[in-house]
Amino acid sequence: MVLYDRSATNLQQQIAILKRRQLKINDTKTTRNRIQDIGYFKLKGYCIPFYSKKDYFRSNTSFNTVYSAYKLDEKMRIILFPMLQRIEVQFKALLGSYLGTKYGPLGYLNTPMFATFAGKSEWLACIKRNEKRGRKRNEAYICHYQNEYDDKFPIWVAIEMSSLGDVSKLYSNLKTNDKKNFAMKYYHMNYQKLSNWLQVITIIRNICAHNARLFSKKIPLNIYINRYDHISKNNSKTLFGVFYICKTLLMGTDFFQYQIINLKQVLKQTPFQGFYEYGLPDDWCQKLLEKE
């Protein structure tokens, strides 16, 4: 491991680097403005799929093509993120209701709801961490439960103030029977699949929330796919697999169909076959819209 020793570059130098790497730039002023808007480091992530070899672009690749990939990714996140948000809200509501009615509002404090003591300790630490963050944001409901109920939060409140990643981990730490019953009752699948899918959408949700790149990127976790699923295991690391998860987990199909039709229009306007960069097959739209 060595210390980073490269010098920072200005816009003029960055454009010169791109030109040396054989990127076609027709309008230097527009290119400069766009790099200034999004940052050279972020732009480089969208350059990589267009390289023929390290640091050299494929023949006739233009800055406009690379920038179009960035704008496509921006639209992809805008389409995908609301679906992930709805899944999160639904999952939190269902899990809070399930655990609250079975174990009581404060059952997580003194009932063997968890598979291990470590799982319980992890959840209690998570509540304290999220309570502290909520106080900094001046969340009224957190102050209410602190002052009126001796700083004890009903399970559905604790879940609401937690991130999707926290609640996904809570679910994974429950007793196996509860995981089985919950997954089958609400999602009609085994708990291993639900646990995996929650991890996947947590990763993608965070990518979307932080405006990170989805374009030409493999998911860093294999999507659980079994013989009951209507997609190939070849899609286990692609965004097509994520859309399939959204289709399955979203309760109510109208919003999903609306978003997929929007995506179809976006891809039609892209000056290259962008759907391949997301692992979408030729018949991706038909597969996602067909009833199962």
Side-chain angles (χ1 to χ4, degrees):
M1 188 178 295
V2 296
L3 188 66
Y4 187 87
D5 61 356
R6 295 186 181 185
S7 300
T9 54
N10 59 34
L11 287 169
Q12 185 175 346
Q13 292 168 323
Q14 290 162 2
I15 290 173
I17 291 169
L18 293 173
K19 286 182 176 179
R20 284 200 303 271
R21 294 176 179 177
Q22 308 302 312
L23 183 67
K24 292 177 64 177
I25 295 176
N26 298 321
D27 186 335
T28 302
K29 182 179 178 181
T30 299
T31 300
R32 184 174 61 246
N33 290 339
R34 286 176 172 173
I35 294 176
Q36 184 170 276
D37 284 345
I38 67 177
Y40 182 66
F41 179 76
K42 184 178 285 292
L43 176 72
K44 282 170 65 178
Y46 293 91
C47 291
I48 293 170
F50 297 99
Y51 284 162
S52 59
K53 60 181 179 178
K54 181 176 170 56
D55 292 342
Y56 279 92
F57 288 93
R58 295 197 298 262
S59 177
N60 294 320
T61 302
S62 69
F63 178 83
N64 287 340
T65 299
V66 175
Y67 186 71
S68 294
Y70 168 77
K71 296 301 289 184
L72 171 62
D73 216 33
E74 188 176 63
K75 293 172 184 175
M76 181 68 78
R77 291 192 297 270
I78 289 171
I79 288 169
L80 190 56
F81 193 49
M83 292 192 283
L84 301 175
Q85 287 179 308
R86 289 193 179 205
I87 291 170
E88 176 181 354
V89 170
Q90 289 169 349
F91 173 68
K92 285 182 174 181
L94 292 171
L95 188 63
S97 176
Y98 176 87
L99 294 175
T101 54
K102 181 168 183 179
Y103 293 104
L106 302 178
Y108 62 89
L109 294 174
N110 50 26
T111 303
M113 187 171 81
F114 298 91
T116 65
F117 181 78
K120 175 182 174 180
S121 299
E122 189 175 359
W123 176 240
L124 294 178
C126 173
I127 292 174
K128 284 299 179 185
R129 189 168 60 247
N130 291 325
E131 178 185 356
K132 185 177 180 180
R133 290 170 180 166
R135 280 203 310 268
K136 287 183 177 179
R137 296 194 304 268
N138 199 29
E139 295 284 2
Y141 72 91
I142 289 179
C143 297
H144 171 71
Y145 281 97
Q146 284 177 325
N147 298 330
E148 298 294 328
Y149 297 102
D150 193 28
D151 203 20
K152 299 295 188 299
F153 298 90
I155 184 64
W156 53 86
V157 178
I159 285 175
E160 177 59 30
M161 69 183 184
S162 300
S163 69
L164 177 58
D166 290 336
V167 182
S168 172
K169 192 168 289 186
L170 165 65
Y171 175 75
S172 294
N173 285 332
L174 296 177
K175 284 182 172 180
T176 300
N177 279 342
D178 281 321
K179 289 189 288 189
K180 283 182 178 178
N181 293 337
F182 178 84
M184 191 56 63
K185 179 178 181 180
Y186 294 110
Y187 295 102
H188 312 292
M189 64 179 65
N190 66 54
Y191 75 91
Q192 295 97 329
K193 179 190 284 190
L194 181 58
S195 291
N196 171 266
W197 285 14
L198 290 169
Q199 291 178 56
V200 170
I201 64 171
T202 298
I203 291 169
I204 302 302
R205 182 207 174 281
N206 291 339
I207 288 174
C208 291
H210 293 93
N211 298 310
R213 178 170 59 91
L214 289 168
F215 184 82
S216 194
K217 187 174 184 179
K218 288 189 180 296
I219 297 168
L221 179 68
N222 281 324
I223 297 172
Y224 185 112
I225 298 172
N226 62 20
R227 60 192 177 91
Y228 300 108
D229 295 312
H230 295 249
I231 58 172
S232 164
K233 289 192 175 182
N234 293 332
N235 300 121
S236 64
K237 278 186 172 288
T238 69
L239 209 63
F240 180 66
V242 176
F243 278 112
Y244 181 78
I245 289 176
C246 292
K247 176 183 180 179
T248 308
L249 294 187
L250 274 172
M251 296 180 179
T253 60
D254 289 350
F255 180 68
F256 177 79
Q257 291 175 349
Y258 175 78
Q259 293 296 82
I260 294 303
I261 291 169
N262 281 344
L263 177 58
K264 184 179 179 181
Q265 294 304 314
V266 166
L267 289 172
K268 274 185 178 179
Q269 297 164 10
T270 303
F272 55 90
Q273 291 183 309
F275 61 90
Y276 287 132
E277 299 295 339
Y278 295 102
L280 302 179
D282 291 332
D283 58 348
W284 68 270
C285 189
Q286 177 186 338
K287 284 187 174 180
L288 289 176
L289 291 179
E290 68 185 7
K291 293 183 178 179
E292 297 180 2

